């Protein structure tokens, strides 16, 4: 073996005013976003396996696929499952693989990877994420292209944990939440039951409310974007999603271990609900050479 190995950058950093963003080149995840002393994204240390899928890009499906089983074009397919205790395929295929730096400027960066045909997912996709950092806002665009020679089904999502100043377990209970949603998809064991029911997005103070819930029927402003707001001791965060994201999954961290438990709120833009590959609910299909893109943003207003 050689005495030394060639080194490569492990992440890319952007700065705008007091805002600093770190993009992990393993998985393309948003590893950290700070504004001064405010950890706007509840991230993870450099070089660590991202706990709780913090900041992850979720491709070619978000959330879970029941037992990893689905069918497409007459072919029964089997994805790798998470564990015997939770026998579902979870959050896609790209969170642990290398991403490449395609382009960067002072305020923007593009990272990309290729999803090669995989057991249970026999399609080839190119994926890229464009991140633009301003002093008061992060804007991210996820792009996917079908590199194969037949139609490719997929779903997309991202998994940021929003932090508004809580540093202790349970601290998210003091935050105030407003969601631009009207309908909740009912889950049992993380899987859809087939039931949908009305949901009032004016949640208010989180208190001990537990959420791990997909929501749809997003209420959109005249510009076509839907906006969620989370307010706490550090300030207010506004997440906005364009029309490419018809779903938001919200997770209050109740199943996370001590040191991570209910200190931030995951608000996850998704193109489809859990089990979409199997149920074909809001599933996207790209023809060969066709491209899809979706943009979301996060704006911050520090407490005065």
């Amino acid at each position: 073996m050689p005495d030394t190995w060639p080194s490569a950058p492990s992440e890319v950093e952007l700065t705008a005013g007091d805002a600093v963003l770190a993009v992990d080149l393993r998985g393309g995840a948003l590893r950290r976003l700070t504004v001064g002393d405010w950890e706007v994204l509840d991230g993870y240390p450099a070089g660590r396996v991202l706990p709780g899928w913090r900041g992850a890009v979720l491709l070619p499906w978000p959330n879970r696929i029941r037992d990893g089983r689905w069918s497409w074009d007459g072919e029964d397919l089997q994805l790798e499952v998470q564990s015997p205790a939770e026998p579902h395929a979870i959050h896609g295929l790209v969170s642990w693989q290398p991403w490449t730096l395609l382009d960067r400027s002072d305020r923007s960066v593009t990272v990309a990877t290729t999803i090669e045909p995989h057991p249970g997912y026999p399609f080839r996709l190119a994926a890229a994420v464009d991140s633009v950092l301003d002093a008061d806002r992060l804007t991210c665009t996820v792009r996917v292209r079908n590199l194969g020679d037949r139609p490719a089904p997929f779903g997309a999502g991202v998994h940021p944990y929003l932090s508004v100043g809580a540093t202790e377990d349970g601290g998210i209970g003091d935050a105030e939440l407003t969601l631009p949603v009207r309908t909740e998809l009912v889950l049992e064991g993380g899987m859809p039951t087939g039931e949908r029911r009305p949901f009032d997005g004016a949640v208010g103070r989180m208190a001990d409310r537990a959420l791990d819930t997909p929501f749809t029927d997003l209420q959109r402003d005249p510009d076509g974007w839907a906006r969620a707001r989370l307010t706490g001791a550090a300030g207010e965060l506004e997440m906005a999603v364009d029309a490419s994201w018809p779903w938001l999954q919200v997770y209050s961290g109740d199943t996370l271990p001590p040191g991570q438990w209910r200190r931030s709120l995951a608000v996850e833009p998704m193109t489809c609900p859990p089990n979409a590959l199997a149920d074909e609910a809001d599933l996207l299909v790209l023809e060969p050479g066709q491209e899809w893109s979706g943009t979301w943003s996060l704006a911050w207003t520090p407490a005065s």
Side-chain angles (χ1 to χ4, degrees):
M1 286 188 175
D3 293 333
T4 59
W5 294 91
S7 61
S10 61
E11 64 181 34
V12 184
E13 190 171 280
L14 297 176
T15 302
D18 291 336
V20 180
L21 174 71
V23 179
D24 198 338
L25 291 177
R26 179 200 50 197
L30 301 179
R31 186 184 69 77
R32 191 180 187 209
L33 174 60
T34 60
V35 178
D37 295 332
W38 180 7
E39 298 276 352
V40 170
L41 292 183
D42 192 2
Y44 58 97
R48 300 284 183 87
V49 174
L50 63 169
W53 304 85
R54 295 177 184 276
V57 181
L58 312 178
L59 286 169
W61 72 89
N63 218 288
R64 291 158 177 79
I65 306 300
R66 181 182 284 111
D67 301 321
R69 297 174 183 167
W70 65 297
S71 299
W72 187 256
D73 198 23
E75 181 181 4
D76 293 332
L77 298 164
Q78 177 65 62
L79 295 159
E80 296 177 3
V81 300
Q82 185 175 20
S83 69
E86 189 175 347
H88 307 304
I90 184 168
H91 287 337
L93 303 172
V94 302
S95 292
W96 317 115
Q97 73 181 40
W99 287 56
T100 300
L101 175 61
L102 286 189
D103 189 29
R104 74 163 298 168
S105 68
D106 290 343
R107 299 288 176 87
S108 66
V109 61
T110 297
V111 298
T113 194
T114 300
I115 303 169
E116 299 290 354
H118 185 279
Y121 192 80
F123 306 95
R124 190 168 188 260
L125 303 176
V129 178
D130 310 311
S131 299
V132 179
L133 184 65
D134 294 305
D136 62 351
R137 185 182 307 269
L138 170 68
T139 304
C140 294
T141 299
V142 181
R143 296 183 284 122
V144 180
R145 176 177 292 174
N146 183 359
L147 298 179
D149 58 5
R150 59 171 170 157
F154 81 101
V158 292
H159 209 298
Y161 282 72
L162 309 187
S163 174
V164 287
T167 58
E168 303 293 333
D169 283 2
I172 197 62
D174 293 327
E176 299 272 342
L177 174 65
T178 303
L179 295 172
V181 302
R182 290 174 286 206
T183 301
E184 168 189 354
L185 180 66
V186 179
L187 304 182
E188 183 175 326
M191 291 290 111
T193 65
E195 180 186 358
R196 299 188 182 197
R197 59 191 177 204
F199 184 88
D200 183 358
V203 175
R205 186 172 182 270
M206 284 290 294
D208 59 356
R209 186 166 192 162
L211 292 171
D212 192 2
T213 310
F215 298 104
T216 192
D217 291 337
L218 272 59
Q219 295 175 298
R220 298 190 178 274
D221 295 332
D223 61 3
W225 290 60
R227 292 172 169 86
R229 292 177 175 85
L230 184 69
T231 305
E236 180 178 271
L237 295 177
E238 178 191 87
M239 172 180 277
V241 297
D242 73 5
S244 297
W245 309 99
W247 291 83
L248 290 176
Q249 176 93 12
V250 181
Y251 172 51
S252 51
D254 294 78
T255 59
L256 294 175
Q260 304 172 33
W261 181 77
R262 288 183 61 84
R263 73 180 185 194
S264 56
L265 189 73
V267 182
E268 310 162 31
M270 303 191 303
T271 62
C272 57
N275 210 43
L277 287 182
D279 295 340
E280 300 188 18
D282 288 338
L283 194 62
L284 298 169
V285 181
L286 290 179
E287 296 294 326
Q290 188 178 9
E291 185 170 308
W292 168 90
S293 68
T295 300
W296 65 278
S297 69
L298 185 66
W300 46 86
T301 303
S304 56

